[in-house]
Amino acid sequence: MADSAVVQRWRVSGWKQVTLCVVLGALGALGHPPFDLWFLTVAAFVAVFGLALRCESNRDWAKTGFWFGFGYFAVALHWIVEPFLVDVARHGWMAPFALVMMAAGGAAFWAVAFGIAGWLRRGLGGVAALAVAMTATELLRAYVLTGFPWAMPSYVLVNQMAGQMAAFVGPHGVNFLLFLLAGGLAFGAVRRWRWIWGVAGAVMLALWVPVPAQLPEARKHADAAVVVRLVQPNALQHLKWHPDHVLKFFQRSLALTAQAAQEADAAVPDLVVWPETSVPWTLDNAENALLAAAGAARGAPVVLGLNRYEGERVFNTVAVVSPDGAVTDVYDKHHLVPFGEYIPLGDFLGRFGLRGLASRHGGGYSEGAGPALIDLGALGKALPLICYEAVFPQDTRVRGERPRVMLHMTNDAWFGNFSGPYQHLAQTRMRAIETGVPVLRAANTGVSAAIDAKGRVLAMLPLGEAGYLDVALPDLGPDTLYARWGDLPMGLFLVLLIVAGVAVRQRETD
């Protein structure tokens, strides 16, 4: 620990500590889109780790983590109010409560991390304890209660070469390295050990190296024989299901599918991809709609989103439609949004007569069987990700055959026009880095994009515009360590470190 004089000079408490931590957390969130000021995220963690290292009690450590997390998640997740503003009269009053609860929920994980680090600091040391505990709780945040790893700190490095390490250690491994760097800088400041600042400063400079843009010559090596059209109808959420507009949006998708390419020598697309729930009829009532989509595609298969009934259950589904309008494959979304697409424990409550909340009786969506590939015929197999599923690193791992491409079909109209859609895009890019598999993203209101196996955006349609994007299918990258092993190695590594830290602490206190 630092000398008592230094500690006393820099220590803050009470409302000053709360205010400082919230402000630091808010600044740290500016590393995420649309700001992309990743260095502020690193600086904020350095500062708050330095504050924590000067705390005496475990309770003060936990308070520091909570208020820092509250400021961070309040800014990073402020788009969460947007769904409640689609129908302001009915749901607008819920918006502030949703933001406070989401921010407090994320902050609770970080309070636990800081509290554990404060207790473990005698076993692992303050810096290592913080890095381990924060990485462990971020890993838990991706899984606990179905998980919600949105705004993971490692995502701020998606544009930097350091973010490419996710192919080896995954996003949680990148988290660990980021936290360790921040802790090293904080420790160097507290101890006044300049050599630590020198080492950590060199690492910071290395972080500044951006991912190089793909060279034009490299793009020519993409599978130019395979052209995919991404359709973006721009159906605004408050009008998407309105009786006076729903047919207009479907006809717009048909027109964009059938439209001749802008380049005179461009070929007819080999595949057409529509966004999530872009067909307003359920699968069992969509025969004419599927025939119309197939006809507009001029001989290319179409992958589109719609709902599907199975008895009383309803699924959020992706369907592959052949040139003759037949459905050749389907995939049902399996990672659903709690309270948005289903009510937790709804089926259990249905046993007691509360059937309106039960998925099995039509009260929300039912979950599909899990991650699965869909067959695109001659184009190979693709891994579909419906909206929210692209948030989860673990949802891109499928046993057996490796996908040729990931298809992210989403309706980001719920997320507003400022930060939500761009953060969703950044997380989708991270999925490409982790797996070495390119992503084609069809978003209802944007941002639709082609993403290569290193997470670089090769082409995109701006947010809030109707149109289409014809792209050459990006090359499949090498298979990655993270795609093979997932979070298991990092999870075991963290468990071993925590056990070792507990053992050392117990020995020192005996």
Side-chain angles (χ1 to χ4, degrees), residues 12 129 225 390:
V12 291

Side-chain angles (χ1 to χ4, degrees), residues 350-413:
R351 299 177 184 177
F352 302 95
L354 300 175
R355 298 180 58 172
L357 304 177
S359 298
R360 68 175 68 248
H361 301 298
Y365 286 108
S366 291
E367 63 182 23
L373 304 184
I374 53 175
D375 193 347
L376 303 179
L379 303 184
K381 293 187 177 180
L383 175 65
L385 300 171
I386 302 178
C387 191
Y388 185 62
E389 291 178 327
V391 176
F392 299 91
Q394 62 267 30
D395 285 353
T396 60
R397 300 186 66 239
V398 182
R399 293 182 179 179
E401 185 177 353
R402 192 174 181 224
R404 172 64 183 83
V405 66
M406 288 187 279
L407 299 179
H408 184 208
M409 303 163 66
T410 184
N411 175 26
D412 285 2

Side-chain angles (χ1 to χ4, degrees), residues 20-272:
L20 180 57
C21 289
V22 170
V23 170
L24 287 174
L27 289 174
L30 299 183
H32 295 284
F35 307 102
D36 292 315
L37 302 174
W38 65 269
F39 49 88
L40 285 184
T41 302
V42 177
F45 274 103
V46 171
V48 79
F49 282 12
L51 289 176
L53 291 172
R54 297 181 177 95
C55 292
E56 292 184 337
S57 69
N58 297 349
R59 182 179 179 182
D60 287 340
W61 279 66
K63 286 170 57 178
T64 300
F66 178 85
W67 290 115
F68 176 73
F70 188 86
Y72 178 93
F73 288 110
V75 172
L77 301 180
H78 75 270
W79 55 265
I80 201 70
V81 305
E82 295 288 349
F84 300 96
L85 302 182
V86 172
D87 188 346
V88 176
R90 295 179 61 187
H91 305 127
W93 65 273
M94 301 180 187
F97 296 100
L99 179 57
V100 170
M101 290 177 65
M102 292 298 292
F109 279 90
W110 289 10
V112 170
F114 274 64
I116 291 173
W119 184 81
L120 276 178
R121 66 186 185 274
R122 295 179 184 175
L124 286 174
V127 170
L130 271 170
V132 170
M134 280 293 293
T135 306
T137 52
E138 278 297 278
L139 181 59
L140 289 175
R141 191 163 69 90
Y143 288 91
V144 172
L145 299 176
T146 77
F148 188 67
W150 198 291
M152 197 184 297
S154 60
Y155 292 163
V156 305
L157 299 176
V158 70
N159 294 316
Q160 313 307 126
M161 282 301 294
Q164 298 294 313
M165 292 186 294
F168 304 95
V169 296
H172 303 293
V174 178
N175 270 340
F176 180 70
L177 297 173
L178 189 154
F179 296 143
L180 204 58
L181 168 66
L185 287 169
F187 188 75
V190 172
R191 286 276 192 167
R192 296 184 176 181
W193 288 358
R194 294 181 179 178
W195 69 270
I196 291 183
W197 271 79
V199 173
V203 176
M204 276 288 291
L205 290 176
L207 288 183
W208 228 282
V209 179
V211 178
Q214 190 182 45
L215 297 175
E217 293 78 9
R219 293 194 185 190
K220 293 178 182 178
H221 288 73
D223 193 352
V226 178
V227 176
V228 182
R229 174 165 295 188
L230 307 175
V231 173
Q232 183 173 299
N234 195 35
L236 302 180
Q237 192 58 45
H238 68 287
L239 300 175
K240 180 175 170 63
W241 300 108
H242 193 286
D244 295 338
H245 295 272
V246 65
L247 189 58
K248 295 179 183 178
F249 292 134
F250 177 71
Q251 291 173 337
R252 181 183 294 173
S253 295
L254 290 177
L256 292 171
T257 301
Q259 188 171 333
Q262 296 174 358
E263 296 82 4
D265 58 347
V268 174
D270 300 285
L271 176 69
V272 178

